[in-house]
Amino acid sequence: MGIFGRKRRAEAGDERPRGRHAAPDDGDDDFDDAYLDPEVTSGPYDIADAPEDGLPRIDLGSVRVPVPEGAQVQVEMDQASGGVRAVHVVTPVGQVTVSGYAAPKSGGLWTEVCGELTEQLRADGAKVQPGRGEWGLELSAIVGEVALRFIGVDGPRWMLRGVIAGPQSQAAAAPDVLREIVRHTIVVRGDSPMPVRTPLTIELPEAVQQHIAAQQQQGG
């Protein structure tokens, strides 16, 4: 049983939309085959399809990310601009970062990003291995003593990317934690036109903003 629950496979006569998220097939690991055998999953959700499930999520404006029991939220600030660079969910097995991006209606952005990400990681000396998860292509990488797992999901005019970074000793457990967080994330794309790959804006909850401001004042 996962942290939040389980996905279910599509059944005959199921009227829920198919193909928004895709499952792995039993073939090889070529990128071109990553989106075969669609199945129904329990997420991630577009805001239009978001459930009222009562799960604790941190509202970051463009994404609402579930925070598992025992996890902590860390905000990474951009010192140059004073803005938010990223928000991380720190779990016992690794640090999870979930980000949304504008994507084409036709989908397929994650496959493109995977190819570029693989080249970048290998250029930096990482050991990279493509694999498959319930949404299709996943990437695992080793950088020094750190194990990484990347997951992407193509949604309606958005792409959601999740990554978990942690010690190699937790590499076996980390992907399931990442999948559960991605599965229950809600994406708020908005209706404004955006260039493809534009990061969706992160907005901190007011309470978090006040906490950061208080810390900055104490530090000053």
Side-chain angles (χ1 to χ4, degrees):
M1 190 70 173
I3 299 174
F4 303 110
R6 286 179 146 172
K7 67 181 179 66
R8 64 182 182 86
R9 287 194 169 271
E11 300 175 353
D14 195 329
E15 297 180 355
R16 294 182 62 186
R18 297 169 183 260
R20 174 179 295 179
H21 309 143
D25 67 294
D26 295 326
D28 57 27
D29 289 329
D30 291 340
F31 287 179
D32 292 343
D33 296 330
Y35 293 94
L36 301 178
D37 188 21
E39 70 177 22
V40 174
T41 74
S42 58
Y45 300 98
D46 185 82
I47 184 61
D49 307 317
E52 296 182 3
D53 52 19
L55 289 179
R57 293 178 174 90
I58 181 169
D59 188 345
L60 301 175
S62 58
V63 288
R64 300 175 185 175
V65 182
V67 180
E69 184 177 354
Q72 296 181 340
V73 175
Q74 289 185 352
V75 179
E76 181 181 348
M77 302 297 293
D78 187 323
Q79 299 301 323
S81 66
V84 180
R85 178 175 295 172
V87 177
H88 311 291
V89 177
V90 182
T91 75
V93 299
Q95 174 180 283
V96 176
T97 309
V98 178
S99 307
Y101 300 85
K105 293 181 180 179
S106 57
L109 180 58
W110 174 237
T111 303
E112 297 179 15
V113 170
C114 271
E116 297 166 3
L117 185 58
T118 298
E119 292 181 3
Q120 177 184 335
L121 287 166
R122 286 176 174 163
D124 292 338
K127 298 179 180 179
V128 184
Q129 178 64 45
R132 298 185 185 278
E134 65 188 79
W135 300 285
L137 186 63
E138 298 183 1
L139 292 179
S140 60
I142 300 295
V143 182
E145 298 299 320
V146 178
L148 301 167
R149 179 64 66 101
F150 296 86
I151 291 176
V153 184
D154 288 307
R157 299 175 62 233
W158 50 258
M159 183 197 79
L160 189 68
R161 190 187 83 164
V163 57
I164 187 167
Q168 292 189 41
S169 61
Q170 298 293 336
D176 284 341
V177 172
L178 175 60
R179 293 184 190 112
E180 287 288 82
I181 289 177
V182 167
R183 185 178 297 125
H184 292 275
T185 294
I186 297 169
V187 181
V188 186
R189 161 65 172 77
D191 297 326
S192 301
M194 299 181 192
V196 171
R197 300 183 181 227
T198 299
L200 302 185
T201 303
I202 296 175
E203 299 176 359
L204 297 177
E206 184 175 352
V208 176
Q209 294 182 37
Q210 293 175 351
H211 179 70
I212 292 175
Q215 286 185 325
Q216 291 175 340
Q217 288 179 354
Q218 291 175 0

